[in-house]
């Protein structure tokens, strides 16, 4: 096809799919409210510094994946690659510390990352983001994981795997970093180029490299548990205890370090075998130092984000229910050319009475109009012709039963309403 296309990695969510998204968002709102999380709308672009300082200069997201531009006032702005840094910024800017803590918020919207597109990975994608700010209570980590799982269960997702780890804190991580570096030093030449690059800048990231050779090497790497400070160890134990208490099955994965630098203590992901290489449907964790990294006071927080494209993909593959597909209640059919305007009035009248109505605008035959009624899953047809107009009636046909009756125009909405939504 000639002409302008959408940029690579970006796609249209067409009506055949968008109603499924609406369902996922509607259930997200329900589950979030059920757990005491309130909705917030955040800007799609922010000052670049928010992300470079918040997410970390040495992360792939900040180094390679951000859509950064100068506005007309020469300010560096970035299309948000994620929502957590913005959540913390919004909390600080709007003095939410004066509200009852923790402040529990959720949002949904498009995120932007310049990644290599593949199944389940796009350059514009939607996240559902749920965050609890203002407490370091490990039970809130458990609550956050539980919100994610409650949502997935509500949507009917099955065969999910919760993996969890502790990534320590600025107090205990430096010692672990040194230990890791000492280990990787002996294997440096066998690591992939990316990991050799990570060695000095961010050795923890070597742990979740997908390269076969790197994985062999990391299998023997020291794990963080022996390096955790007492505070981190107690926190991790309490989170695991809480998960057990709620009977949430999980696996500890000592290689799970996540791609964003703000994490402290808890890091987790929910994985699905349905997704191929991009197997994470959700990722999250605790970020007690993020606020300070962006110039704010100490503000502990924990949250998760889940990708809507990936949720919908799994739901489709597992044959999950998306609720009723939007359809029209009534298709209004003009029996002859002189009745087309009248059909339009009838449809408008029905719509004004809360009935979902549609009709033909291409002056098609009655047969074609009937076909449209069926293809739009209409429950009723209302036939308007010269004969009906002269007597101020409409011929109503119930497509479920084939039953047909003549109803006076003034009684039409009242007749249909209880039959459509009893
Ligand atoms: P993340 O792991 O980078 O974490 O992303 C979370 C989820 O967003 C992934 O598990 C995946 O479902 C989806 N996702 C990420 N990148 C893409 C992509 N390119 N295409 C499609 N889906 C994608 C975060 O973003 C953190 N802010 C999560 C968090 C919240 N941590 C604490 N609070």
């Amino acid at each position: 096809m000639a002409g302008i296309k959408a940029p690579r990695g970006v796609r249209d969510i067409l009506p055949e799919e968008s109603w499924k998204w609406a369902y996922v968002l509607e259930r997200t709102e329900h589950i979030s409210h059920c757990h005491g999380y309130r909705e917030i709308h955040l800007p799609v672009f922010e000052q670049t510094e928010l992300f470079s300082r918040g997410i970390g200069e040495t992360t792939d997201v900040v180094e390679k994946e951000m859509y950064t531009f100068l506005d007309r006032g020469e300010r560096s702005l970035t299309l948000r690659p994620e929502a957590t840094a913005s959540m913390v910024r919004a909390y600080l800017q709007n003095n939410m510390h004066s509200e009852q803590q923790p402040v529990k918020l959720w949002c949904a919207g498009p995120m932007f990352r310049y990644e290599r597109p593949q199944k389940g990975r796009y350059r514009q994608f939607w996240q559902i983001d749920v965050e609890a700010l203002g407490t370091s209570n490990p039970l809130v980590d458990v609550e956050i994981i539980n919100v994610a799982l409650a949502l997935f269960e509500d949507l009917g997702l099955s065969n999910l795997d919760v993996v969890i780890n502790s990534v320590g804190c600025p107090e205990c991580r430096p010692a672990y970093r040194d230990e890791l570096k000492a280990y990787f030093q002996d294997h440096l030449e066998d690591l992939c180029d990316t990991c050799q690059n990570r060695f000095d800048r961010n050795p923890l990231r070597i742990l979740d490299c997908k390269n076969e050779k790197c994985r062999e090497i990391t299998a023997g790497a020291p794990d963080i548990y022996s390096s955790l400070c007492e505070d981190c160890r107690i926190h991790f134990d309490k989170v695991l205890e809480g998960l057990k208490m709620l009977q949430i099955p999980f696996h500890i994965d000592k290689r799970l370090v996540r791609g964003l630098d703000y994490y402290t203590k808890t890091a987790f992901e929910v994985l699905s075998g349905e997704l191929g290489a991009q197997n994470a449907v959700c990722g999250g964790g605790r970020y007690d130092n993020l606020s300070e990294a962006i110039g704010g006071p100490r503000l502990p927080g924990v949250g998760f984000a889940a990708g809507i494209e990936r949720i919908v993909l799994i739901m489709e593959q597992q044959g999950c229910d998306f609720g009723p597909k939007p359809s029209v209640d009534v298709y209004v059919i003009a029996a002859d050319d002189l009745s087309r305007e009248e059909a339009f009035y009838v449809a408008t009248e029905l719509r004004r009475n809360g009935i979902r109505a549609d009709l033909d605008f291409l002056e098609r035959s009655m047969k074609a109009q009937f076909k449209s009624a069926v293809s739009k899953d209409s429950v009723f047809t209302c036939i308007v012709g010269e004969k009906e107009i002269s007597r101020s009636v409409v011929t109503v046909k119930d497509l479920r039963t084939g039953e047909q009756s003549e109803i006076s125009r003034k009684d039409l909405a009242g007749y249909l309403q209880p039959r459509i939504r009893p």
Side-chain angles (χ1 to χ4, degrees):
M1 185 204 81
I4 301 171
K5 291 184 187 162
R8 187 165 138 78
V10 164
R11 65 194 191 108
D12 304 305
I13 309 302
L14 300 173
E16 291 78 62
E17 194 181 343
S18 66
W19 68 279
K20 300 177 179 175
W21 284 49
Y23 178 71
V24 171
L25 288 167
E26 185 243 303
R27 298 318 298 162
T28 302
E29 181 179 16
H30 172 75
I31 296 289
S32 303
H33 289 168
C34 241
H35 291 78
Y37 290 75
R38 296 169 301 153
E39 189 172 16
I40 180 170
H41 295 286
L42 296 167
V44 165
F45 58 86
E46 297 267 10
Q47 294 191 45
T48 301
E49 226 188 327
L50 174 69
F51 303 119
S52 52
R53 286 170 59 181
I55 297 173
E57 295 280 4
T58 61
T59 56
D60 284 354
V61 170
V62 170
E63 274 190 342
K64 307 181 202 158
E65 296 171 3
M66 294 205 304
Y67 283 89
T68 297
F69 58 96
L70 288 182
D71 74 0
R72 287 168 194 275
E74 304 280 302
R75 297 172 202 92
S76 179
L77 301 174
T78 293
L79 295 183
R80 61 179 180 192
E82 58 110 50
T84 311
S86 302
M87 275 290 188
V88 174
R89 198 251 329 120
Y91 174 104
L92 300 173
Q93 187 173 342
N94 296 291
N95 297 324
M96 293 192 203
H97 54 259
S98 60
E99 296 177 16
Q100 200 187 328
Q101 305 297 303
V103 172
K104 305 204 299 186
L105 302 167
W106 74 276
C107 73
M111 309 290 154
F112 308 86
R113 295 184 194 175
Y114 190 80
E115 291 194 271
R116 200 165 43 80
Q118 61 182 85
K119 182 183 167 194
R121 188 162 74 190
Y122 305 96
R123 291 185 173 168
Q124 174 177 321
F125 57 96
W126 273 56
Q127 276 186 348
I128 291 159
D129 190 80
V130 181
E131 312 281 354
L133 298 152
T135 173
S136 39
N137 186 337
L139 269 189
V140 182
D141 305 34
V142 179
E143 174 172 286
I144 279 288
I145 296 172
N146 192 49
V147 174
L149 295 178
L151 173 63
F152 298 150
E153 190 185 337
D154 184 276
L155 294 173
L157 269 58
S158 54
N159 294 330
L160 298 175
D161 194 12
V162 179
V163 289
I164 187 163
N165 193 18
S166 173
V167 293
C169 70
E171 205 173 298
C172 53
R173 209 177 306 150
Y176 181 55
R177 245 179 92 106
D178 291 347
E179 215 183 315
L180 267 187
K181 282 185 78 171
Y183 172 79
F184 286 127
Q185 182 72 59
D186 299 337
H187 303 276
L188 204 51
E189 278 169 18
D190 296 326
L191 292 174
C192 72
D193 291 349
T194 316
C195 285
Q196 290 193 11
N197 200 2
R198 285 167 173 160
F199 177 74
D200 272 322
R201 290 143 48 85
N202 202 346
L204 262 79
R205 290 283 292 142
I206 300 176
L207 290 175
D208 74 352
C209 181
K210 303 284 183 281
N211 177 295
E212 194 68 39
K213 186 79 195 147
C214 295
R215 285 187 78 82
E216 269 173 36
I217 297 169
T218 53
D223 65 49
I224 196 168
Y225 308 117
S226 47
S227 308
L228 288 182
C229 61
E230 203 189 349
D231 189 30
C232 286
R233 197 171 38 73
I234 294 174
H235 188 96
F236 193 45
D237 286 345
K238 288 199 168 150
V239 174
L240 301 186
E241 248 172 56
L243 292 175
K244 284 178 196 153
M245 190 177 76
L246 299 190
Q247 295 177 329
I248 295 174
F250 61 87
H251 291 109
I252 297 176
D253 180 356
K254 67 173 187 175
R255 292 202 237 212
L256 181 71
V257 288
R258 313 262 307 125
L260 311 157
D261 270 359
Y262 50 61
Y263 290 110
T264 51
K265 299 192 166 87
T266 313
F268 72 94
E269 281 181 351
V270 181
L271 309 177
S272 163
E274 229 73 66
L275 289 172
Q278 302 307 311
N279 62 348
V281 61
C282 150
R286 181 162 278 287
Y287 45 87
D288 292 346
N289 300 99
L290 172 52
S291 167
E292 283 148 295
I294 61 169
R298 188 179 149 68
L299 171 66
V302 60
F304 77 85
I308 298 191
E309 288 80 358
R310 294 188 192 179
I311 292 177
V312 171
L313 209 73
I314 302 173
M315 289 178 73
E316 283 174 343
Q317 283 180 19
Q318 294 186 339
C320 300
D321 186 17
F322 289 97
K325 193 175 175 182
S327 59
V328 291
D329 301 317
V330 177
Y331 199 83
V332 183
I333 291 176
D336 47 69
D337 281 341
L338 290 175
S339 310
R340 294 195 192 273
E341 277 185 16
E342 194 60 19
F344 184 55
Y345 293 137
V346 171
T348 306
E349 216 170 272
L350 292 175
R351 292 162 174 169
R352 286 179 176 160
N353 282 283
I355 294 169
R356 296 177 296 190
D358 208 354
L359 75 163
D360 168 64
F361 286 103
L362 297 181
E363 305 192 347
R364 285 181 301 182
S365 68
M366 259 185 95
K367 192 174 163 203
Q369 293 178 66
F370 262 115
K371 266 191 166 168
S372 296
V374 172
S375 74
K376 285 176 185 277
D377 290 328
S378 179
V379 183
F380 286 92
T381 52
C382 285
I383 302 164
V384 183
E386 275 184 83
K387 182 172 70 106
E388 281 87 359
I389 295 171
S390 67
R391 291 165 42 236
S392 282
V393 297
V394 166
T395 304
V396 177
K397 184 172 180 182
D398 186 330
L399 297 180
R400 296 165 297 193
T401 59
E403 194 187 322
Q404 196 160 305
S405 20
E406 258 187 13
I407 308 294
S408 98
R409 275 285 298 276
K410 65 176 176 24
D411 298 334
L412 183 60
Y415 172 84
L416 288 169
Q417 264 152 353
R419 289 170 172 79
I420 288 164
R421 276 176 277 279

